Amino acid sequence: MTQGLRERKRAATAQALAEAAFGLAKERGLDGFVIDEVAELAGYSRRTFANHYPCKEAAVASVAYAGIEAAADALEDVSDGRPLLDAVEVVLRLQLTTAGLSRMREVLALARAHPSLEPHVYHVQHRMRLEVEERVAAVAAGRYPASYLTLLVGAVYGMVSTALEGLVDVRLPGDPPSRDAVEFDEFLTEVFNHLRTGF
């Protein structure tokens, strides 16, 4: 399911626009810039922006989607005989890089300050989960019921979202030291231990 050249170019354009929108939102706040400035900063026209995003909020939220395709493609290299939970762990650890996690936290912080961004953030998170669920289903190759796949991927992403939303005190590399915080890698290990052995 590796992308062709046309799809890669389209994805690169969308990502450049998302990066520009995200940078402007961090610098000026969500209300401090317009779509024309996003397009100009990224080196594209307003029409190109409109071909990718319906509004600047969608572009800002989409910055968190970077790397999902590469991470999901990693599932294609997971052997068919590998336990499904192990396959999910492989792709999740690739999807949730330190840079990606930090960016997701920044987008969530922007969404708390600008409620109009929230539905777009949830949409991106939903896309990420569905993308992995689709790839996991291909790896599972009929060995598990469809409902099991949905519940498994949903449980993993639900647990991880507690860290991204600040409901669990998780420290990312580069965060200031905290006595009570758990390192993110340890948190993921705990998540998958719970899923393997129960709560």
Side-chain angles (χ1 to χ4, degrees):
M1 201 185 275
T2 303
Q3 291 180 317
L5 179 60
R6 186 174 181 178
E7 290 78 16
R8 285 199 304 272
K9 282 185 174 181
R10 181 170 173 77
T13 300
Q15 188 58 31
L17 290 163
E19 294 278 357
F22 178 63
L24 288 169
K26 284 202 312 179
E27 181 185 329
R28 304 181 194 171
L30 199 59
D31 301 322
F33 64 96
V34 295
I35 288 172
D36 287 334
E37 291 174 288
V38 175
E40 184 180 344
L41 183 61
Y44 295 100
S45 67
R46 183 186 176 94
R47 182 176 175 184
T48 298
F49 181 96
N51 287 338
H52 291 275
Y53 300 110
C55 59
K56 63 185 177 181
E57 288 86 354
V60 171
S62 289
V63 80
Y65 198 70
I68 176 65
E69 185 71 27
D73 280 346
L75 272 172
E76 294 179 7
D77 297 326
V78 175
S79 69
D80 291 342
R82 190 168 193 172
L84 192 58
L85 190 57
D86 290 354
V88 173
E89 184 173 4
V90 166
V91 75
L92 191 75
R93 287 184 183 275
L94 286 169
Q95 190 183 76
L96 299 178
T97 63
T98 299
L101 284 164
S102 296
R103 187 163 278 191
M104 285 181 201
R105 276 191 174 173
E106 288 179 293
V107 170
L108 286 167
L110 279 168
R112 282 191 289 274
H114 304 277
S116 64
L117 185 57
E118 283 185 347
H120 300 281
V121 171
Y122 294 134
H123 175 70
V124 168
Q125 291 174 335
H126 182 66
R127 278 173 57 204
M128 291 173 75
R129 186 185 64 75
L130 288 181
E131 177 80 22
V132 172
E133 187 176 324
E134 183 182 310
R135 300 302 179 93
V136 166
V139 169
R143 291 182 290 142
Y144 302 87
S147 60
Y148 174 81
L149 300 179
T150 299
L151 291 171
L152 174 63
V153 175
V156 171
Y157 277 79
M159 292 170 78
V160 169
S161 71
T162 63
L164 294 176
E165 293 170 13
L167 301 174
V168 177
D169 192 7
V170 173
R171 182 181 178 275
L172 298 179
D175 283 352
S178 171
R179 190 179 57 151
D180 300 322
V182 178
E183 299 290 331
F184 186 75
D185 194 57
E186 291 175 37
F187 172 74
L188 275 187
T189 298
E190 183 181 348
V191 163
F192 283 96
N193 283 343
H194 280 310
L195 289 167
R196 287 185 178 96
T197 62
F199 289 83

